[in-house]
Amino acid sequence: MINRLISIAPMMEWTDRHDRYFLRLMSPHALLYTEMVTTGALIHGDYKRFLSFHPLEHPLALQLGGSVPEQLAHCAELGEGFGYDEINLNVGCPSNRVQSGRFGACLMREPLLVADCIAAMKNKVNIPVTVKCRIGVDNEDSYELLHSFISLVAQAGCQVFIIHARKAWLHGLSPKQNREIPPLRYDMVHRVKRDFPHLTIIMNGGIKTVADMDNQLPHVDGIMIGREAYTNPYLLTEIEERYFSILPRSREEIIHQLIPYVELQLKNNIKLSSITRHILGLFQAQKGGKAWRRYLSEHANDPKANACVILEALKKREMK
């Protein structure tokens, strides 16, 4: 049984395997999600490269983007075979590229197709198949439409819905603007939970602090945190202490735990900057934080850079 109290949102170009490993060092309990992976990338590309992950990342969900039931079913099988703990269908991304592929948030207009996709995946795997969606799209944002969407998709076998409490504008707003401009409607997600008490409803959108979580958890089954977990990752230790009584490691301890992983990745020809870009926010709002970020940014891109760059960045921070 997956603990869904806290999860970290799938974020394109951010929640790759290096970031997830780093986040896991701070949060033993969070359910982690991959970046969205399209069915086309897995079917026509190097699926092993897309699906590989470190065992420490568990519990880990694979988020798929697609709208062809048979293709999604095949990719869900691949994900289960690689050891993922959950398959998640993206019904929330509003980018033009995603829309052109007929998946993401535009699928909220096609609940029967989403239901077919869920049923096809459920028929092929034994792990949970879940949906991440919005509360609506464009002017199709009534509670009645959201209720109908949840009802139809649940009937196909989906028992877990992660709901971003904003609607998506499919035209006129960038993905970044779609995360900020449409107003948050937590009340609609609360109402979904009241109307579907047998379903697991996870709240997503605008949640940045433990106090925010405390406000939402009486109404839903769990919280998904997005960009705050990336820009201020040490927040996860505060969450672990608050909800799981796990005493936090210091930021310095976390970095020293990361070093063996970094050294292994360097041996596998991974660039140091591919890892250090994820740890820049560790000392956010802390003394020496700017020195930490500056040193990593200036030195991690050197072709000869190794783990010593990270340790030296720690020293620079401590000198401030």
Side-chain angles (χ1 to χ4, degrees), residues 186 189-194 201 203 214-222:
Y186 293 136
V189 183
H190 298 167
R191 188 173 174 186
V192 168
K193 180 58 187 178
R194 290 197 302 269
I201 304 299
M203 179 71 79
D214 285 342
N215 289 335
Q216 293 301 325
L217 283 173
H219 307 286
V220 293
D221 299 297

Side-chain angles (χ1 to χ4, degrees), residues 80-105:
E80 183 178 44
F82 265 74
Y84 284 90
D85 301 293
E86 172 189 317
I87 305 296
N88 178 260
L89 179 63
N90 184 321
V91 191
C93 182
S95 75
N96 291 332
R97 183 176 66 85
V98 166
Q99 291 180 56
S100 67
R102 198 189 175 197
F103 55 93

Side-chain angles (χ1 to χ4, degrees), residues 2 17 21 47 66 80 98 106 121 141 163 182 210 216 219 258 262 286 299 313:
I2 298 174
R17 58 194 178 97
Y21 186 96
Y47 70 90
E80 183 178 44
V98 166
C106 63
M121 290 188 282
D141 60 352
I163 306 177
V210 168
Q216 293 301 325
H219 307 286
L258 181 66
V262 172
Q286 299 294 303
H299 294 85

Side-chain angles (χ1 to χ4, degrees), residues 92-95 99 134 136 138 164 166-183:
C93 182
S95 75
Q99 291 180 56
R134 294 275 184 140
D138 296 337
H164 188 150
R166 287 185 174 94
K167 70 176 179 180
W169 284 104
L170 299 181
H171 303 286
L173 294 183
S174 69
K176 180 178 186 296
Q177 290 171 321
N178 260 300
R179 293 191 299 269
E180 299 170 352
I181 293 177

Side-chain angles (χ1 to χ4, degrees), residues 199-272:
L199 298 179
T200 299
I201 304 299
I202 309 299
M203 179 71 79
N204 175 228
I207 298 169
K208 299 182 178 181
T209 66
V210 168
D212 292 338
M213 291 183 62
D214 285 342
N215 289 335
Q216 293 301 325
L217 283 173
H219 307 286
V220 293
D221 299 297
I223 300 298
M224 175 175 276
I225 296 180
R227 276 157 172 72
E228 191 67 18
Y230 191 87
T231 59
N232 180 26
Y234 201 66
L235 168 67
L236 297 183
T237 66
E238 186 179 349
I239 292 171
E240 287 285 336
E241 185 173 17
R242 171 71 175 85
Y243 297 107
F244 300 102
S245 301
I246 303 294
L247 294 178
R249 301 185 183 97
S250 71
R251 292 171 173 84
E252 292 78 11
E253 287 177 305
I254 290 164
I255 289 301
H256 284 290
Q257 285 189 314
L258 181 66
I259 293 299
Y261 174 84
V262 172
E263 292 174 336
L264 177 62
Q265 296 305 311
L266 293 173
K267 289 179 181 178
N268 292 328
N269 297 315
I270 299 298
K271 295 180 180 178
L272 181 65

Side-chain angles (χ1 to χ4, degrees), residues 29 154 184 203 211:
H29 293 95
L184 287 161
M203 179 71 79

